[in-house]
Amino acid sequence: MSDLRTPLTSWHEAQGAKMAPFAGWLMPIQYEGILAEHLHTRKHAGLFDICHMGEFRIEGPGAAEALSRAVSHNLETLAPGKCRYGFLLNEKGGVLDDGIIYRFGPESFMAVVNAACAANDLATLRARLPESVNITDISNETGKVDLQGPDSLDVLEKLMGENFHDLGYFSFREAQWQGVPVLVSRTGYTGELGYELYLPAGKTEDFWKALLADERVKPVGLGARDTLRLESGLPLYGHDLDENHSPAEAGMGRMMTSQAAYVGKEGAQVVREVLVPLKIEGRRAARHGDDIALPDGTVVGRVTSGSFAPSLGYVIAFGWVDAAHANGENFVVRAARTELPAQKVEIPFYKDGTARKKLA
Amino acid sequence: MATNPTDLLYSKSHEWLRLEGDEAVVGITHFAQESLGDITYVELPLVGDEVSEEGEFGSVESVKAASDLVSPVSGSVVGINTALEQAPEKCNGDPYGEGWLMRVKYSRKPEGLMDAAAYEAFCATEGH
């Protein structure tokens, strides 16, 4: 089998997880079941193997300015110890990938990118950065596990013997667990209070097991990861984001605050289609590729993500809709056997998340 | 793995059938529900619909997948499990009991279905 294995793949297999290829990796889709894992994360804490994602260190004289031209993240206002979400764009402003950039110092950064895009991201960034700036692929030596859910802070503090209450949303700091350096980042994609944790790959399994020793923590597969991120209203690269669409079309135009002349800046604000969040009453799901039509039957778009939302009890979806029709409120999704009445709603779909909870 | 009841017949598309006089009860197997994962929606025929052997009679959706239901028998539908509208998860928890799908008054006895032992051997070839 040619699928890549994370430091935790053998553990997942031993637990009887349902495994499947994902972005070139053999990953756990679910352990006990998507619904149970989803709801456990909303109530307590879920633990995710995210070792497949790509991490690059970017540093050297001129790194800040050069990186500012390479990606859309606003690095001018990003202080050390903070991280920011943004995009790697093509010349036309289409999204090549989305990801988070961490700032360690004035000229020292880490980019965290999607597994499926990592090789292309690395080549693109290398081509856009001058020789004085080093970009190092640290994906293989970096383990990444994410702890997400309302109990995550308490679990983490208990395990690591350190107070993280002062760590603000989208902030990070380096800490230690049994002498192992762990980068603790208060970020995530579930809509809940949560942490993305980076450590040496060889220590990942020990750390994973130590986190799971807390009864509030359960392992969560990619299935529930997807339903959690969708309920949180976050677009997924390869489904809701792609190189033919701009960040503004995905509703991210206003967060593009960088003053730098980054690649794709002009096209980043172009809007031809709009990523519309839809609510569908009932349990029958809209699926990627289903047509979106106006009530009179005119097809104006297509579904990019859709699922039964476990926390909400109905179906939610994202879809690209022609800009001229995106202000409408009522649509019809044409699923395989039937037509589903859909209503445009505001994101996040799930509004009771603890992600931005004040911890003081 | 749960054992498949020996009083049932099984199809290659992972439906089961129980003959009761001139009627047959149909559902999906343990293997099917386990492969699909958490079931969130079941589309059933209407009472009075005609179904045909190897013809689609509905569909079943899980969080991540959708699958057609294929009838192991021909006849007219005389009952459906309306409880699945609100509780489709019964197909996961009790596929051979509360998770049954439809009751058919069959027009001819189905042929070519497997018994439990043959079905278990068949599932083994499908990767479980």
Side-chain angles (χ1 to χ4, degrees), chain A residues 153-154 157 162-168 173 186 195 359-360:
Chain A
L153 173 64
D154 199 43
E157 289 184 336
E162 185 170 341
N163 186 322
F164 291 106
H165 273 67
D166 58 333
L167 196 60
R173 77 162 175 264
R186 188 182 159 192
Y195 298 85
L359 301 175

Side-chain angles (χ1 to χ4, degrees), chain A residues 189-206:
Chain A
Y189 37 79
T190 60
E192 301 298 340
L193 174 65
Y195 298 85
E196 299 188 53
L197 306 160
Y198 303 81
L199 73 165
K203 300 291 183 185
T204 310
E205 188 173 349
D206 288 345

